[in-house]
Amino acid sequence: MTTPFPFTAVVGQDDLRLALLLNAVSPAVGGVLVRGEKGTAKSTAVRALSALLPEVAVVPGCRFSCDPASPDPACPDGPHETGPGTQRPARMVELPVGASEDRLVGALDIERALAEGVKAFEPGLLADAHRGILYVDEVNLLHDHLVDLLLDAAAMGASYVEREGVSVRHAARFLLVGTMNPEEGELRPQLLDRFGLTVEVAASREPDQRVEVVRRRLAYDDDPAGFTERWADEESSVRAHIIAARALLPSVRLGDGALRQIAATCAAFEVDGMRADIVMARTATALAAWAGRTDVLAEDVRQAALLALPHRRRRNPFDAPGLDENKLDDTLEEFAEQEQAPEDDDPGPDGPDGPGGGGGQSPEDDSDGPQGGDTGAQPEAGEGGQPQNSGEQQPVRASEPFRTKALSVPGIGEGAAGRRSRARTEHGRTTGARRPQGALTKLHLAATVQAAAPHQLARGRAGRGLVVRRDDLRQATREGREGNLVLFVVDASGSMAARQRMSAVKGAVLSLLLDAYQRRDKVGLVTFRGSSADVALPPTSSVDAAAVRLESLPTGGRTPLAAGLLKARDVLRVERLRDPARRALVVVVTDGRATGGPEPVALAGRAARLFAADGVASVVVDCESGPVRLGLAGQLAGELEGTAVTLDELRADSIAGLVKDVQRRAA
């Protein structure tokens, strides 16, 4: 849209607006991750922020936005002399989820570099975002290789493009802002920690506020320019507030007492590393500057903790974000002895005010968050489940998750980048060469030289250097890893629950879910019990959504094994139409019994053979226990042409014996 929705016209979402404004005051805070359901003004607020940022001075004609007061000595467009420069608005650059590596870091023309010795470099989005905002919508869906590039640029403040000995470096310091819907999957921990602050947003449940949201949105859609003009005074006021807070920021004093509170809070919530302490200190300082104060108060430290710590205390994707505010208050009070007197005498306001000032208000989900010291897996049923299970339709508690052995799909795929099965990818080890199909991206130098060598005499350059033409260029083929669709088919019948094994079964599935999250898979969940099978969760990238379904899984009744397998086959058929490149791995969790429907054993065998005929890779997790075992799960694995693994053997640290992977790995 040409005219962005005004930032000050956003209804509610105080914490979101406050987090964005604090980064506008102090970009060193490190950016914002906005988590929430769809339709909660996440993208609207982020796009509106760029209009509030002060203009930046740049070197005229520099494609890399060098500061004229201190230009980058290594700028590809340099060297530049210091001077007054020109002013331009701060940029907000959007990184599409499906962007290529060249679009992000820039494109180096390998052909001209080899043939002419010219560094012809076209800057990418990282160069465009330098000294501005880099916005990633649906950041949790970003491909791993792009995440790696973002991490490198965020850590070093520069972007490097290196190919076959030709390299280009340019500065890339930007404010990273991401939005995501947790239902679509979680974010890699490495990137999650790079965001300075995080905010949980949700739609208001107050009718009056919802009415105002609709009223403003309709007015904006009818006349964007007129609506924006009506909010011009408020926008100018906030812009002036940001400029004043930036000017005050160097004068803000972060005393030893506030530093002790910050350190104690980070230690109390057991966050990893020291980045949380640094981000909290910068956030508290920005809060004081935004409030017009030169001293950091305890309330600044408290608000900084609510914004900087929730995403850093998560131990796995199943932990709900949030902080125990009672524990936070106790920690701040315990370490508030030093420098408390001058802070009490400070006449400053109670907290940040003006548009976006959230004060001490916490993110909406914080009040329901887990206790600060709880680092266990969240999906364990504790509300309605009982430890015992006698076949009733009641959920049972899952045992603790563990590290599982690696399971993979046979062959070599071409699906989305991940960490499970072998695949042909743009990133990974070089396995060969081919003629380029389109633009050359990864040059195979040895193959190129071999292709050019026989033609040197005809080209009149024998003994006087190598002449390389376009037809000689060879593209490197690479092999890496892909993510798969892991479809869990879970037996929830009485034959499982009667032996009180469902807790161990849920723990095993929870462990496999955690493994699927770490390997960037999509997951689905089919359960069967009684007389039918149900799709508890259609294939999704949200592993924690699968964990929630698993938590409330009822048990009891007969074992319609055939129905479960046929339902899973239908799910895979539909998913192949939606995502044909993503290969499937079916994990059947059962003791192998079949008791539901007519001729249950024969019907289950026929269903399993259909799977084998489709060529679907499968693993059967054998849940049978006790001194006398029928071995039915092993028979099922044979009919599926898959592998059988016991619950004990599923553990990666098990000494019961080596587990064969689904694929027979080539040497």
Side-chain angles (χ1 to χ4, degrees):
M1 66 183 73
T2 56
T3 305
F5 192 88
F7 186 85
T8 51
V10 175
V11 178
Q13 307 297 12
D14 291 339
D15 293 301
L16 168 58
R17 293 193 292 162
L18 176 62
L20 292 172
L21 289 170
L22 292 177
N23 276 274
V25 171
S26 176
V29 166
V32 186
L33 174 65
V34 188
R35 297 164 41 93
E37 58 198 25
K38 53 186 176 294
T40 50
K42 300 188 299 293
S43 300
T44 299
V46 173
R47 292 188 175 101
L49 176 67
S50 60
L52 298 177
L53 297 180
E55 292 187 337
V56 295
V58 297
V59 173
C62 179
R63 297 175 297 166
F64 301 88
S65 302
C66 280
D67 185 349
S70 56
D72 182 4
C75 175
D77 284 356
H80 303 299
E81 295 183 358
T82 58
T86 59
Q87 298 287 325
R88 67 158 175 80
R91 290 176 181 162
M92 191 196 73
V93 178
E94 293 195 41
L95 171 61
V97 170
S100 65
E101 178 182 349
D102 286 348
R103 185 71 187 97
L104 178 61
V105 301
L108 186 65
D109 193 331
I110 297 296
E111 297 177 30
R112 289 189 62 190
L114 289 175
E116 305 173 25
V118 176
K119 287 186 180 180
F121 182 71
E122 185 66 28
L125 296 178
L126 289 179
D128 292 342
H130 179 49
R131 304 177 66 201
I133 301 173
L134 181 62
Y135 172 49
V136 189
D137 192 15
E138 297 180 324
V139 63
N140 50 323
L141 304 183
L142 200 63
H143 288 179
D144 276 3
H145 68 281
L146 296 182
V147 171
D148 293 336
L149 293 170
L150 278 181
L151 290 174
D152 290 342
M156 297 183 293
S159 175
Y160 294 84
V161 181
E162 298 190 14
R163 292 182 183 171
E164 285 71 40
V166 181
S167 64
V168 174
R169 173 222 169 265
H170 65 83
R173 292 183 295 276
F174 47 82
L175 175 62
L176 182 62
V177 180
T179 55
M180 60 174 282
N181 184 349
E183 293 180 356
E184 297 173 340
E186 280 295 342
L187 198 61
R188 273 179 57 182
Q190 296 92 332
L191 184 56
L192 188 65
D193 189 51
R194 285 292 176 185
F195 286 98
L197 309 180
T198 186
V199 178
E200 296 281 332
V201 297
S204 173
R205 300 298 183 257
E206 293 292 332
D208 291 342
Q209 196 171 69
R210 295 175 74 96
V211 166
E212 186 60 24
V213 170
V214 175
R215 181 181 292 118
R216 294 185 185 183
R217 185 69 207 192
L218 293 178
Y220 170 77
D221 290 341
D222 289 341
D223 183 10
F227 183 84
T228 303
E229 181 63 27
R230 290 196 293 274
W231 289 87
D233 291 342
E234 287 81 355
E235 293 283 286
S236 297
S237 176
V238 174
R239 190 177 299 109
H241 197 163
I242 292 173
I243 295 173
R246 282 189 174 186
L248 182 62
L249 188 65
S251 303
V252 176
R253 185 178 68 91
L254 182 65
D256 290 342
L259 277 173
R260 283 178 58 82
Q261 287 182 315
I262 290 171
T265 301
C266 293
F269 286 99
E270 300 178 353
V271 297
D272 296 329
M274 294 297 297
R275 184 173 284 118
D277 303 62
I278 297 171
V279 171
M280 271 191 67
R282 290 171 174 166
T283 305
T285 303
L287 280 162
W290 179 253
R293 290 186 267 101
T294 56
D295 284 309
V296 174
L297 306 184
E299 65 196 52
D300 299 325
V301 176
R302 186 182 192 278
Q303 182 65 62
L306 293 173
L307 293 172
L309 296 188
H311 61 302
R312 290 188 165 87
R313 63 163 301 276
R314 303 186 74 188
R315 291 297 184 264
N316 63 58
F318 312 136
D319 289 342
L323 296 180
D324 178 2
E325 295 193 37
N326 292 329
K327 180 176 180 178
L328 174 60
D329 292 336
D330 291 343
T331 303
L332 294 176
E333 183 177 354
E334 180 182 354
F335 289 88
E337 298 158 356
Q338 296 187 11
E339 298 196 5
Q340 188 63 44
E343 291 180 355
D344 285 342
D345 295 336
D346 193 297
D350 291 337
D353 54 7
Q361 193 175 21
S362 63
E364 286 191 41
D365 292 345
D366 283 351
S367 59
D368 295 328
Q371 298 298 310
D374 181 11
T375 58
Q378 296 301 317
E380 295 182 1
E383 290 81 43
Q386 300 294 330
Q388 73 280 0
N389 189 301
S390 57
E392 300 90 348
Q393 296 185 25
Q394 286 187 337
V396 296
R397 178 182 294 272
S399 63
E400 289 293 327
F402 51 82
R403 187 167 60 91
T404 69
K405 287 186 177 295
L407 305 173
S408 55
V409 179
I412 301 178
E414 296 180 347
R419 297 182 178 181
R420 184 171 298 278
S421 304
R422 295 171 58 193
R424 297 182 183 91
T425 65
E426 288 295 319
H427 303 270
R429 63 185 182 89
T430 300
T431 58
R434 60 173 173 80
R435 289 182 180 274
Q437 300 170 350
L440 178 68
T441 56
K442 300 289 184 181
L443 178 73
H444 195 298
L445 187 58
T448 298
V449 172
Q450 287 178 342
H455 306 290
Q456 297 307 297
L457 185 61
R459 294 171 185 173
R461 296 288 295 177
R464 292 184 292 169
L466 185 69
V467 176
V468 178
R469 295 180 178 173
R470 183 178 182 83
D471 290 343
D472 303 325
L473 298 176
R474 294 295 181 268
Q475 173 85 25
T477 58
R478 297 170 180 261
E479 182 178 304
R481 293 283 169 177
E482 68 177 359
N484 299 124
L485 166 60
V486 182
L487 182 62
F488 295 95
V489 185
V490 180
D491 183 350
S493 66
S495 67
M496 301 277 288
R499 293 170 176 81
Q500 298 185 0
R501 289 185 309 232
M502 188 51 71
S503 175
V505 169
K506 285 189 175 183
V509 177
L510 195 64
S511 304
L512 290 167
L513 284 171
L514 183 58
D515 180 70
Y517 162 74
Q518 294 167 340
R519 296 182 189 276
R520 314 302 290 169
D521 297 316
K522 290 179 70 175
V523 298
L525 179 61
V526 173
T527 63
F528 57 95
R529 59 181 293 274
S531 59
S532 63
D534 298 307
V535 181
L537 182 73
T540 175
S541 297
S542 180
V543 177
D544 54 344
V548 172
R549 301 292 199 285
L550 183 71
E551 176 184 358
S552 58
L553 179 66
T555 59
R558 290 186 174 274
T559 311
L561 177 58
L565 294 175
L566 293 175
K567 179 67 73 173
R569 188 166 179 259
D570 287 342
V571 171
L572 293 182
R573 177 181 55 81
V574 174
E575 190 62 21
R576 274 194 292 268
L577 297 175
R578 295 175 178 170
D579 192 358
R582 189 182 292 268
R583 298 185 297 160
L585 172 65
V586 175
V587 180
V588 185
V589 185
T590 182
D591 56 10
R593 297 173 187 267
T595 60
E599 300 183 354
V601 176
L603 190 58
R606 288 198 292 272
R609 289 190 288 275
L610 285 175
F611 255 107
D614 291 341
V616 179
S618 59
V619 173
V620 178
V621 180
D622 185 357
C623 302
E624 192 174 29
S625 63
V628 179
R629 305 193 182 191
L630 302 178
L632 298 176
Q635 296 177 22
L636 175 63
E639 291 173 323
L640 287 168
E641 297 184 6
T643 302
V645 181
T646 66
L647 283 176
D648 289 337
E649 291 172 337
L650 187 62
R651 295 178 181 271
D653 55 357
S654 171
I655 58 174
L658 295 176
V659 180
K660 294 181 180 179
D661 285 346
V662 178
Q663 79 175 62
R664 295 173 176 83
R665 298 179 182 273

